[in-house]
Amino acid sequence: MANSASGMAVHDDCKLKFLELKTKRAYRFIVFKIEEKQKQVIVEKLGEPAESYEDFCTHLPANECRYAVYDFDFLTKESVPKSRIFFIAWSPDTSKVRSKMIYASSKDRFKRELDGIQIELQATDPTEMGLDVFKSRAN
C-alpha cells in the first residue's frame, strides 16, 4: 500500500482496477472512497463497460466527496474514435468541510498512483462535469 502526504494509504486494489480499466478496458468507470477509519483510499464501485455516463453519475453521492476515473469514448472532428481517461475530484458544496479537506489534501498523491490519467476535472456540482464538459476537454 502506498502512503499519501495526508497519511491516507492507497489500497493496492485501486491501482490494479485502474490498470485493468486502462489496459483491458474492463470497466467504464471506477469510484474511489476514502475510508477514514482505516486511513486508506478504496474502490467503492466498478462500472461495467456497457454502463453509461448517466449510470456513472448515479454513483457519485450528492453530499459526500469521492474520487472517480471515467473512460470517455468520443469521435474526433475527423470521425476517428478515441478515448480519454478522466480523473474527477468530486467535492459537492453540501459535503462536510472535514471531508473536503481530507480529499483535497490526498488528491495529488492518489492521482500519482494512477499512472495514465489524461485529464483532470474538479466538480462541486453535476454541471461542472457534464458530458459537454467532457467533450470540450477531450479534444
Side-chain angles (χ1 to χ4, degrees):
M1 264 190 279
N3 208 347
S4 69
S6 66
M8 288 295 161
V10 177
H11 194 281
D12 290 338
D13 212 28
C14 295
K15 290 182 276 188
L16 290 171
K17 297 300 179 195
F18 176 74
L19 199 61
E20 289 174 18
L21 177 143
K22 183 175 88 170
T23 58
K24 300 177 188 166
R25 304 200 72 194
Y27 310 106
R28 171 66 52 204
F29 62 85
I30 307 171
V31 178
F32 303 97
K33 174 183 183 177
I34 290 179
E35 202 53 71
E36 275 196 67
K37 287 185 178 78
Q38 298 157 358
K39 293 199 179 313
Q40 68 177 346
V41 182
I42 60 166
V43 172
E44 182 178 53
K45 171 73 177 135
L46 297 168
E48 296 303 315
E51 289 193 66
S52 69
Y53 173 79
E54 288 73 23
D55 297 325
F56 165 65
C57 290
T58 65
H59 294 290
L60 295 175
N63 48 11
E64 289 180 37
C65 299
R66 292 291 186 272
Y67 300 128
V69 171
Y70 188 85
D71 188 5
F72 179 65
D73 292 324
F74 65 100
L75 290 174
T76 65
K77 289 178 187 138
E78 297 79 27
S79 297
V80 178
K82 291 223 172 182
S83 83
R84 293 274 185 267
I85 298 174
F86 279 77
F87 177 86
I88 298 106
W90 174 247
S91 184
D93 290 331
T94 53
S95 58
K96 294 178 180 152
V97 172
R98 175 177 165 73
S99 177
K100 288 186 209 179
M101 289 173 63
I102 290 169
Y103 274 81
S105 64
S106 304
K107 183 188 71 157
D108 288 338
R109 178 73 173 109
F110 176 61
K111 207 174 82 177
R112 277 196 299 271
E113 295 292 326
L114 307 179
D115 185 37
I117 299 285
Q118 294 164 310
I119 301 165
E120 180 184 338
L121 290 178
Q122 293 195 28
T124 58
D125 72 65
T127 62
E128 294 178 346
M129 50 167 266
L131 270 178
D132 55 334
V133 176
F134 274 68
K135 287 174 186 162
S136 69
R137 295 287 305 273
N139 285 324

